[in-house]
Amino acid sequence: MMPPRSFAARRLLAVLALAATPVVAPAPAAAQTARLHAAGSLRAALDEIAREFERREQVRIEAVYGASGLLRDRIAKGEAAEVFASANMAHPASLAAAGKAMPPLPFTRNVLCALTRPDVGVRTGNLLERMLDPGVRLGTSTPKADPSGDYAFELFARAEALRPGARQALEAKALKLTGGPDSPPPPPDRSVYGDLVARKQADIFLTYCTNALLARRDFPDLVSVAIPAELSVGALYGLTVLRGAPEPAWRFAWFILSDDGQAILTRHGFGSLR
């Protein structure tokens, strides 16, 4: 089933889905928990949403963050999960198709930016030229494992219409530095994207604009360059609740979709669906 397009329709579906869940007597407040698996790009926003939800509901959120594709694989193999917030619609939809989750709802948007250093000389108008330069190291996340990598490769496909041969050249030179099953763990105290660009492991890194914003807080000398309209790729994030999830997990999913949850996402740079 295709997700409804309007925000009002999505909220109505969420209410109906919540109403359809079995009524279970709640556990004592101190014992209530909800398990969240979510895309790494959502960490700052969902951590704030979780804190506010915990303050209001006396439910503790146990969060696991990572590349959406890898999380999907872990859930599909039986890892205990209740709420899944993915950086695309495809991964939660695959869990729904397998009977493991409810049909996903879109809940926020993002867009790619180019994170780089001033010495690389990147501007919106010359981004494609600089990415194609053989001397420029181009970083992405890992396609299929991390939707950010898929979106970057979609950008490469769009570049083909502007410059024949660009897609093959960009795909060949892209360094898949994050989000894969064998990628090194990210630094615990700073942006992995900022760290890679600052250490010159990549000269340009295609990542979400929200990630670029966080990277510049950790590395103020870096710059975030807007993607030109003809190359721009947007990301639609999907939210699902796993079948059999307890009532607190449903309440948390609803809070993410609520006006208050959406306002927090917007403050963190995510796009509204209204």
Side-chain angles (χ1 to χ4, degrees):
M1 181 179 68
M2 292 296 292
R5 291 174 181 265
S6 74
F7 187 73
R10 289 186 294 103
R11 294 207 300 181
L12 176 60
L13 182 57
V15 171
L16 293 174
L18 179 57
T21 57
V23 177
V24 179
Q32 287 193 331
T33 62
R35 294 189 181 98
L36 168 68
H37 285 58
S41 56
L42 289 163
R43 181 190 295 268
L46 286 185
D47 276 352
E48 182 177 344
I49 289 174
R51 288 194 298 270
E52 179 60 20
F53 180 76
E54 289 172 336
R55 185 185 69 81
R56 298 184 187 192
E57 298 283 342
Q58 298 299 305
V59 174
R60 184 166 57 89
I61 304 301
E62 297 178 351
V64 176
Y65 294 101
S68 296
L70 299 183
L71 293 177
R72 184 273 314 272
D73 291 346
R74 288 162 54 179
I75 295 170
K77 292 176 181 176
E79 182 166 309
E82 295 168 357
V83 179
F84 179 36
S86 172
N88 66 6
M89 295 294 295
H91 293 324
S94 71
L95 292 174
K100 292 181 176 292
M102 300 298 293
L105 297 172
F107 72 99
T108 197
R109 295 184 185 275
N110 215 332
V111 68
L112 291 184
C113 281
L115 183 67
T116 185
R117 300 183 306 278
D119 62 280
V120 185
V122 179
R123 304 181 303 278
T124 297
N126 72 355
L127 175 62
L128 180 55
E129 175 187 346
R130 298 302 293 138
M131 289 195 300
L132 286 167
D133 187 325
V136 170
R137 291 176 290 271
L138 177 62
T140 72
S141 286
T142 305
K144 301 188 184 302
D146 186 344
S148 175
D150 296 318
Y151 296 130
F153 274 60
E154 183 180 338
L155 184 153
F156 299 160
R158 294 189 178 200
E160 184 69 18
L162 302 178
R163 187 172 300 187
R167 179 177 186 172
Q168 182 177 357
L170 293 170
E171 289 183 354
K173 72 176 298 189
L175 304 171
K176 305 171 189 68
L177 299 175
T178 62
D182 299 318
S183 298
D189 57 348
R190 61 190 182 279
S191 162
V192 62
Y193 311 102
D195 182 69
L196 289 166
V197 175
R199 292 192 295 109
K200 301 186 178 182
Q201 300 302 298
D203 300 311
I204 299 172
F205 202 111
L206 296 177
T207 186
Y208 301 120
C209 292
T210 54
N211 285 343
L213 177 64
L214 294 173
R216 293 190 66 242
R217 291 177 185 172
D218 293 337
F219 300 89
D221 291 339
L222 301 183
V223 294
S224 177
V225 177
I227 307 290
E230 59 271 22
L231 294 176
S232 184
V233 176
L236 185 63
Y237 284 52
L239 180 71
T240 189
V241 177
L242 279 294
R243 293 193 180 276
E247 186 258 353
W250 283 92
R251 295 211 313 271
F252 181 58
W254 165 238
F255 187 68
I256 295 172
L257 289 167
S258 73
D259 288 343
D260 289 346
Q262 292 291 299
I264 293 172
L265 284 162
T266 299
R267 286 203 301 273
H268 284 265
F270 289 89
S272 173
L273 293 179
R274 292 187 178 84

